[in-house]
Amino acid sequence: MLVNSFSLCYHNKLILAPMVRVGTLPMRLLALDYGADIVYCEELIDLKMLQCKRVVNEVLSTVDFVAPDDRVVFRTCKREQSRVIFQMGTSDAERALAVARLVENDVAGIDVNMGCPKEYSTKGGMGAALLSDPDKIEKILSTLVKGTHRPVTCKIRILSSLEDTLSLVKRIERTGIAAIAVHGRKREERPQHPVSCEAIRAIAETLSIPVIANGGSHDHIQEYLDIEDFRQATAASSVMVARAAMWNPSIFLKEGLRPLEEVMQKYIRYAVQYDNHYTNTKYCLCQMLREQLESPQGKLLHAAQSSQEICEAFGLGAFYEETTRELDARRAELLARTPEEAADPAQDTSDVIKMAVKFDRRAYSPQITPKMCLLEWCRREKLAQPVYETVQRPLDRLFCSVVTVAEQKYQSTLWDKSKKLAEQAAAIVCLRSLGLPEGRLGEVSTSLHKRKWEAPDQDPGGPRAQEPAMPGELCKKPFVALGSGKESSLEGW
């Protein structure tokens, strides 16, 4: 039997399961704090990862894998490097190996998802769809074992018969993988169906490699001691916890569950420190609150539209401000060392009107933004539509935009987290310079209310919704990453 070289041990471990939208860096670090030995990232699709560029984020002290649309697909840090498992969704051996080689120096192990029954995973022949193609399973795992320096594992579900399941896992073991995680339900079963401890036990007694038991949150695991009971019931080497950890990550703590308020505040602190997108932070907190979503705090969380508002809802407003100042200071220090990277988006800045402004969405109507006001004014004045030119700074991946209106350029001197926010700031500079309304709360522009306008910025942490393009949108210039020499695709309003 082939054995890949590795140092990570899968015996007698408490493991945070891969969970879509939940297994991002803040949750993984929180699970480690509370006693998890190994943490899995959420399933990430091979095709998406292969579009990513590895970026060292010196401001956050992280390694980011960044998609062409500038969304951070996977973020990790040194703290978890020896204990984080990268789980991919794949249906192709060569693509899987390419992804493994892309991330292997930043993670402790590589896992292939062969158990997810959801359509987003199975429609491309990934996840549980692989269970019906043992030849493909063998090729993917064998290729990974031979081609990467990290331990390779996979996560499966049980098949319709125990005989078929045992036949499959024995074939999987022969590929040389380090361990196998088994969700004790069939592909068509859901959490309300009982988990089959007997099937997991049979697998554990058949194989010589570690078997990781999964699927016990609904029936078996409500507190720390239940994890060991589940391990003994399945005869597994280790236990992987999903929903029970999502509800309260302190499930891994020997001393018992911590109060939810304390856990959520600790999670929020990590989310702010590592610049987690607020929509992802909000989603994870909602999973923790569950039946308390209708409480006063739950309603504040539901209404929050930024990381700052989430912090304020949990009494962490001062922490947010302090952390933001620290990150800004670190960013300024790094820029001082590399002044050439602080380049201005405008080639010639002599005729650019500048102001230090930012777009704070809380100060504007959800249906009206400065860009809309500027476009409407240009139409009324029969001027050419505003043209935005946006650049991204490599050091901290912040954006700055210049808008040209009637041959005059306008720019905010403050760099922002997204292309959209930078463009809104540039529009504000133009409108204020011209003494025009910018759409702030309390301002009235009847012509704008008659139109169907843009929604607030979409979540860059998840699939982007299709946004309506305004007439003439395609005349906008694409943003350019400074130093890259390459153009990126246009983003919507």
Side-chain angles (χ1 to χ4, degrees), residues 453-482:
W453 296 102
E454 62 180 344
D457 288 340
Q458 300 294 327
D459 172 16
R464 292 185 179 231
Q466 184 64 39
E467 298 175 73
M470 297 302 299
E473 174 76 0
L474 295 181
C475 74
K476 289 171 58 181
K477 295 183 181 179
F479 76 81
V480 179
L482 289 175

Coordinates of all heavy atoms in Angstrom, one line a residue, residues 453-482:
W453 N -33.4 51.4 -9.1 CA -32.0 51.6 -8.9 C -31.3 50.4 -8.3 O -31.9 49.4 -8.0 CB -31.7 52.8 -8.1 CG -32.1 54.1 -8.8 CD1 -33.3 54.8 -8.5 CD2 -31.5 54.7 -9.9 NE1 -33.4 55.8 -9.4 CE2 -32.3 55.8 -10.2 CE3 -30.4 54.5 -10.6 CZ2 -32.0 56.7 -11.2 CZ3 -30.1 55.4 -11.7 CH2 -30.9 56.5 -11.9
E454 N -30.0 50.5 -8.1 CA -29.2 49.4 -7.6 C -29.5 49.0 -6.1 O -30.0 49.8 -5.4 CB -27.7 49.8 -7.6 CG -27.4 51.0 -6.8 CD -25.9 51.3 -6.8 OE1 -25.1 50.5 -7.3 OE2 -25.6 52.5 -6.4
A455 N -29.2 47.8 -5.8 CA -29.3 47.3 -4.4 C -27.9 47.6 -3.8 O -26.9 47.9 -4.4 CB -29.5 45.8 -4.4
P456 N -27.9 47.6 -2.4 CA -26.6 47.7 -1.7 C -25.6 46.7 -2.2 O -26.0 45.7 -2.8 CB -27.0 47.5 -0.2 CG -28.5 47.8 -0.2 CD -29.0 47.4 -1.5
D457 N -24.3 46.9 -1.9 CA -23.3 46.0 -2.4 C -23.6 44.6 -2.0 O -24.0 44.3 -0.9 CB -22.0 46.4 -1.7 CG -21.4 47.7 -2.3 OD1 -21.8 48.1 -3.4 OD2 -20.6 48.3 -1.6
Q458 N -23.4 43.7 -3.0 CA -23.6 42.3 -2.7 C -22.5 41.7 -1.9 O -21.4 42.3 -1.8 CB -23.7 41.5 -4.1 CG -24.9 42.1 -4.9 CD -26.2 41.8 -4.3 OE1 -26.4 40.8 -3.7 NE2 -27.2 42.7 -4.6
D459 N -22.7 40.5 -1.4 CA -21.8 39.8 -0.5 C -20.6 39.3 -1.3 O -20.8 38.4 -2.1 CB -22.5 38.7 0.2 CG -21.5 37.8 0.9 OD1 -20.4 38.2 1.2 OD2 -21.9 36.6 1.3
P460 N -19.4 39.8 -1.2 CA -18.3 39.3 -1.9 C -17.8 38.0 -1.4 O -16.9 37.4 -1.9 CB -17.2 40.4 -1.8 CG -17.5 41.1 -0.5 CD -19.0 41.0 -0.3
G461 N -18.3 37.5 -0.2 CA -17.9 36.3 0.3 C -18.7 35.1 -0.3 O -18.4 33.9 0.0
G462 N -19.7 35.3 -1.1 CA -20.5 34.3 -1.7 C -20.8 34.5 -3.1 O -20.3 35.5 -3.7
P463 N -21.6 33.7 -3.8 CA -21.9 33.9 -5.2 C -22.5 35.3 -5.4 O -23.4 35.7 -4.7 CB -22.9 32.8 -5.5 CG -22.7 31.8 -4.4 CD -22.3 32.6 -3.2
R464 N -22.0 36.0 -6.4 CA -22.5 37.3 -6.7 C -23.8 37.3 -7.4 O -24.0 36.6 -8.4 CB -21.5 38.1 -7.5 CG -20.2 38.4 -6.6 CD -19.3 39.2 -7.4 NE -18.1 39.5 -6.5 CZ -17.7 40.7 -6.3 NH1 -18.2 41.7 -6.8 NH2 -16.6 40.8 -5.5
A465 N -24.8 38.1 -6.9 CA -26.1 38.2 -7.6 C -25.9 39.0 -8.9 O -25.0 39.9 -9.0 CB -27.1 38.9 -6.7
Q466 N -26.7 38.7 -9.9 CA -26.6 39.5 -11.1 C -27.2 40.9 -10.8 O -28.3 41.0 -10.4 CB -27.4 38.8 -12.2 CG -27.3 39.5 -13.6 CD -25.9 39.5 -14.1 OE1 -25.2 38.5 -14.0 NE2 -25.5 40.6 -14.7
E467 N -26.4 41.9 -11.1 CA -26.8 43.3 -10.8 C -27.2 44.0 -12.1 O -26.6 43.8 -13.1 CB -25.7 44.0 -10.1 CG -25.4 43.4 -8.7 CD -24.2 44.1 -8.1 OE1 -24.4 45.2 -7.6 OE2 -23.1 43.6 -8.2
P468 N -28.3 44.8 -12.0 CA -28.7 45.5 -13.2 C -27.7 46.5 -13.7 O -27.1 47.3 -12.9 CB -30.0 46.2 -12.8 CG -29.8 46.4 -11.3 CD -29.1 45.2 -10.8
A469 N -27.4 46.5 -15.0 CA -26.4 47.5 -15.5 C -27.2 48.7 -16.0 O -28.3 48.6 -16.6 CB -25.7 46.9 -16.7
M470 N -26.7 49.9 -15.7 CA -27.3 51.1 -16.2 C -26.9 51.3 -17.7 O -25.9 50.8 -18.2 CB -26.8 52.3 -15.4 CG -27.1 52.2 -13.9 SD -28.9 52.1 -13.6 CE -29.4 53.6 -14.3
P471 N -27.8 52.0 -18.4 CA -27.4 52.3 -19.8 C -26.0 53.0 -19.9 O -25.7 53.8 -19.1 CB -28.5 53.3 -20.3 CG -29.7 53.0 -19.3 CD -29.0 52.6 -18.0
G472 N -25.2 52.5 -20.8 CA -23.9 53.0 -21.0 C -22.9 52.5 -20.0 O -21.7 52.9 -19.9
E473 N -23.3 51.5 -19.2 CA -22.4 50.9 -18.2 C -21.1 50.3 -18.8 O -20.1 50.4 -18.2 CB -23.2 49.8 -17.4 CG -22.3 49.0 -16.4 CD -22.0 49.7 -15.1 OE1 -22.5 50.8 -15.0 OE2 -21.4 49.2 -14.3
L474 N -21.3 49.8 -20.0 CA -20.1 49.2 -20.6 C -19.0 50.1 -21.0 O -18.0 49.7 -21.4 CB -20.6 48.3 -21.8 CG -21.5 47.1 -21.5 CD1 -21.8 46.4 -22.7 CD2 -20.8 46.2 -20.5
C475 N -19.3 51.4 -20.9 CA -18.3 52.4 -21.3 C -17.4 52.7 -20.1 O -16.4 53.3 -20.2 CB -18.9 53.7 -21.7 SG -19.6 54.7 -20.4
K476 N -17.7 52.1 -18.9 CA -16.8 52.3 -17.8 C -15.5 51.6 -18.0 O -15.4 50.5 -18.6 CB -17.5 51.7 -16.5 CG -18.7 52.5 -16.0 CD -19.4 51.8 -14.9 CE -18.5 51.5 -13.8 NZ -19.2 50.8 -12.7
K477 N -14.4 52.2 -17.5 CA -13.1 51.6 -17.6 C -13.0 50.5 -16.5 O -13.5 50.6 -15.4 CB -12.0 52.6 -17.4 CG -12.0 53.6 -18.5 CD -10.8 54.6 -18.2 CE -10.7 55.7 -19.3 NZ -9.6 56.6 -19.1
P478 N -12.3 49.4 -16.8 CA -12.1 48.4 -15.8 C -11.1 48.9 -14.8 O -10.3 49.8 -15.0 CB -11.6 47.2 -16.6 CG -10.9 47.8 -17.7 CD -11.7 49.0 -18.1
F479 N -11.1 48.2 -13.6 CA -10.1 48.6 -12.6 C -8.8 47.9 -12.9 O -8.9 46.8 -13.5 CB -10.6 48.3 -11.2 CG -10.5 46.9 -10.8 CD1 -9.3 46.3 -10.4 CD2 -11.7 46.1 -10.7 CE1 -9.3 45.0 -10.0 CE2 -11.7 44.8 -10.3 CZ -10.5 44.3 -9.9
V480 N -7.7 48.4 -12.5 CA -6.4 47.8 -12.8 C -5.7 47.6 -11.5 O -5.6 48.5 -10.7 CB -5.6 48.7 -13.7 CG1 -4.2 48.1 -14.0 CG2 -6.3 49.0 -15.0
A481 N -5.2 46.4 -11.3 CA -4.4 46.1 -10.1 C -3.0 46.7 -10.3 O -2.4 46.4 -11.3 CB -4.3 44.6 -9.8
L482 N -2.6 47.6 -9.4 CA -1.3 48.3 -9.6 C -0.2 47.3 -9.6 O -0.1 46.4 -8.8 CB -1.1 49.3 -8.4 CG -2.0 50.5 -8.4 CD1 -1.7 51.3 -7.1 CD2 -1.7 51.4 -9.6

